[in-house]
Every structure is written in C-alpha cells, then in structure tokens.
Amino acid sequence: MVAVASILIQFNALTGCSSSNGDSKASTATDSSAAQAATPVADSARKTTPVSTAAADTTTETDPLKADSLKFTGNLPDTLLPKHRILAYYGNPHSTRMGILGEYPRKEMLRRLDQEAARWQKADPSKPVLKALHLVAISAQGTPQKDGKYRLRMSDKTIRKVISWGAQHGAVVFLDIQVGLANLEGELEFLEKYLKLPYVHLGIDPEFSMKTGAKPGTKIGTYDAADVNKAIQFLSRVVKENNLPPKVLVVHRFTQRMVTNYQNIKLDPRVAVVMDMDGWGPPSLKIDSYRDYIVKEPVQYTGFKLFYKNDLKKVDKRSKHKVPHLMEPEEVLALDPKPLYIQYQ
C-alpha cells in the first residue's frame, strides 16, 4: 500500500511553483460520450455537443481549492487491476448533458456514486469495488479553436477541482482525452503534471481522433495500435520517473475501426490497459458489441459502459434489439470475461 502521507501533493508540485441504433452486426451500439453542452457538432453518427470555451474556463469557484485538498483520503492500492473492480462516473462539471459527473451537484453526485458502488459490491463480494471519477479533460469541439485543432483543454482550475473531489472522497480519477485534430503526444504532455499524482489515471477516446481531418462528430474517429502504444509508453515513463504505482489506461471502443491492429498493442507491467465497450443501446446490442469488438480482439482487461439515459432510448422498429433497459450489475457480471472497469454516463 502507498502510505496516505506519501501522496500529499501540493499545488506547486503540480505546476512547478455518436450512429443510430440498429442490428448489432450492421451498426454498433451508439455513443453519446460527447452529448455535451454548448457548441453543437452536426448530428450524424454520433450526437456531439461539446463543452464550450466559456463554460470550461470562466466559471467562478466560490470555494477555491487548497493545497491539502489533493490529499487522497483512502488507502491507495499498489495495483488497481486485476485486484479491484473500478466503478467510474463519467462527464464534466460544466455540462449537465455530458454525463452523470456533471448532472448533479457534487454532494448528490458522490452520494449516487456511493450507492452504485454498494450495489456492485453486493453483486460480486469477491472483488473490491474502487470508486472513480472520469473527467473529460480535453473535449472535442464542433468549431475550431485558435489553433484549428477542434478540441478544448479544460482549465487547470477545473481539472484540479475534479481531482480534489476524488481525493477527498477516496476515489481515483481518470482524465479523458478527445484529441479532435490535435496530436495525442501534445495532449498527453498537457496532462502530465496531473498524471504524476498516484491516484490519477488516463482515458483516450478514438471516436474523436480525426485522422482524416474531418470535424469531430461527423465521422467516427480511430486510433491505431501505434497510438495506444504511445499512451502506454508515456504512462510507463511517468510511473518510472515518479516511483508511482501502475497506471490504468482506458481505451473507449464500440466499432471495429475505432482501434486498428489491436494485436500490435504492447503491454507494459507499469500500465494496465482496459478496452472499454463504450456504446449505448438495449442490452442485446451492447452485449453483441462487447463480444464483437472487445472479447474477440483481446488486449488485457475489459470494461463496460452504462448510460443512465441513452440505454433507455427506443430503437428502430426494424431492429431485432427492441427491449431497452439499464442493465443491472448481475447482467453485466454474467459476461465472459467479467468487466473490471464499469463506467456510468
């Protein structure tokens, strides 16, 4: 175990001072990971309304973060996976539409996270549940920023705020990257100072990696194994240089082309890699997608995403997947392999 006292991080140490539902074989579960807030992206394969620049960077906090707010209140395991099941709430505090993390005030959101964690613990007492907050720290945008990269980096204040929520609540934190037209290496470097914290981990979203130059939301993006390997190598270096416990890397996926050449992904003992089934739809569609795109192309560990709202949407009458409902923990745990990362949006 990493001693609590050893992970008291001062602020100056950080800074240096989604397609329509259909038959699963033809069209995969859809994703609203970017059904976000104020700058709409065109409705197409993925409904995407990212966080606006104003919402991300001009919100005034009445209770400024303090240095000791980044002290992790729980016991931090040396290795999270496969010893635990991670249960994450996804979103952004500046958007009520992006996910559960920002849909409710902080205290209510954390209360709901506690309740959800208790349900999962009851469903599988053999695997300790570790709570997590999964922040979209770099959000794909429907309009270009000054650098033309179609992505918005959250402010230092916003990122620290969510990190402090997790630390004070005994929850680990994931920082998620939607690169747009930016370079993955540059976005990793932007987040490095936060990833030096032992309880902060990483997510990367191929859906918004627009290698063809298309605008985010108009097409589904892609990462190759080479991109995933860059993230793994980056995290491995951060772990080694800062004497940290292993990091977790979550890679979102709900189509075949979102991750290419999976067999070339090179694992590293300093990084646990989760391939997360990130699509929404009725259970039969989600299960098909899990089997087709996660299980059939195995990497290391598996994840499964649940949508409080989108999983309840009615599907096309022509689809064989006609009975939407939010899957219970027991239903997800019936999958083989059992997912070790569960995310709610």
Side-chain angles (χ1 to χ4, degrees):
M1 296 290 182
V2 176
V4 172
S6 71
I7 57 174
L8 174 58
I9 307 297
Q10 302 296 327
F11 281 137
N12 58 5
L14 284 174
T15 60
C17 26
S18 296
S19 43
S20 301
N21 291 321
D23 291 341
S24 65
K25 303 303 181 182
S27 64
T28 61
T30 57
D31 174 45
S32 67
S33 62
Q36 295 160 359
T39 311
V41 173
D43 256 353
S44 63
R46 295 297 173 267
K47 291 183 179 179
T48 310
T49 316
V51 174
S52 70
T53 303
D57 290 333
T58 63
T59 300
T60 301
E61 292 297 325
T62 58
D63 183 17
L65 294 179
K66 299 178 181 178
D68 61 0
S69 69
L70 294 184
K71 179 178 179 180
F72 191 78
T73 60
N75 292 320
L76 188 66
D78 287 338
T79 303
L80 302 188
L81 299 177
K83 295 180 179 179
H84 300 79
R85 176 166 289 109
I86 299 172
L87 180 72
Y89 265 14
Y90 173 100
N92 185 293
H94 297 302
S95 172
T96 60
R97 296 174 58 196
M98 191 188 298
I100 186 70
L101 191 153
E103 187 172 352
Y104 297 96
R106 176 182 60 87
K107 289 184 179 180
E108 174 66 10
M109 180 270 294
L110 292 172
R111 184 187 69 80
R112 289 171 179 262
L113 177 61
D114 289 343
Q115 290 180 336
E116 206 67 72
R119 289 207 311 139
W120 280 87
Q121 193 63 78
K122 182 179 179 181
D124 183 7
S126 69
K127 188 73 67 174
V129 171
L130 183 63
K131 293 173 288 189
L133 301 178
H134 197 118
L135 167 68
V136 181
I138 300 172
S139 171
Q141 297 291 291
T143 56
Q145 280 54 64
K146 291 181 179 179
D147 60 5
K149 299 302 183 182
Y150 288 86
R151 61 88 178 87
L152 175 66
R153 294 170 171 176
M154 294 298 106
S155 66
D156 183 64
K157 189 175 187 179
T158 292
I159 296 173
R160 290 186 185 192
K161 174 169 65 176
V162 176
I163 289 175
S164 74
W165 289 357
Q168 294 166 6
H169 202 67
V172 298
V173 174
F174 286 81
L175 302 180
D176 207 84
I177 298 175
Q178 299 175 355
V179 294
L181 273 65
N183 183 279
L184 178 60
E185 291 92 331
E187 306 315 297
L188 290 170
E189 291 173 4
F190 171 72
L191 295 179
E192 181 171 356
K193 61 185 177 182
Y194 310 108
L195 290 165
K196 290 179 180 179
L197 293 167
Y199 49 89
V200 176
H201 303 270
L202 180 66
I204 58 175
D205 197 341
E207 179 182 0
F208 304 103
S209 172
M210 314 311 295
K211 293 183 180 296
T212 65
K215 294 181 181 181
T218 60
K219 295 183 178 180
I220 300 173
T222 184
Y223 276 136
D224 186 71
D227 299 300
V228 179
N229 287 337
K230 288 176 183 177
I232 293 172
Q233 293 161 8
F234 174 86
L235 288 175
S236 180
R237 177 183 62 78
V238 171
V239 168
K240 182 178 180 180
E241 290 179 355
N242 296 279
N243 192 29
L244 300 175
K247 293 290 184 183
V248 178
L249 171 65
V250 172
V251 183
H252 304 286
R253 187 179 190 185
F254 53 90
T255 73
Q256 188 77 31
R257 291 290 301 168
M258 281 178 73
V259 178
T260 56
N261 299 308
Y262 79 96
Q263 69 279 3
N264 295 332
I265 294 174
K266 298 179 181 179
L267 299 181
D268 186 299
R270 298 186 182 95
V271 182
V273 180
V274 174
M275 299 301 293
D276 179 39
M277 202 299 290
D278 192 23
W280 62 265
S284 57
L285 179 55
K286 294 171 73 76
I287 291 170
D288 278 357
S289 295
Y290 180 75
R291 290 171 176 164
D292 290 346
Y293 309 122
I294 306 298
V295 178
K296 286 185 179 179
E297 296 193 353
V299 177
Q300 190 173 19
Y301 304 112
T302 67
F304 200 88
K305 190 167 184 176
L306 297 163
F307 293 78
Y308 282 118
K309 294 180 179 178
N310 280 4
D311 280 351
L312 302 180
K313 287 186 176 181
K314 294 181 180 180
V315 297
D316 191 289
K317 293 181 179 180
R318 297 169 294 177
S319 172
K320 67 178 182 180
H321 307 281
K322 296 181 179 179
V323 188
H325 73 267
L326 184 65
M327 293 176 69
E328 296 291 333
E330 292 80 5
E331 292 178 271
V332 178
L333 292 171
L335 297 171
D336 184 20
K338 291 180 174 63
L340 291 184
Y341 176 85
I342 305 297
Q343 185 180 95
Y344 282 90
Q345 179 165 326

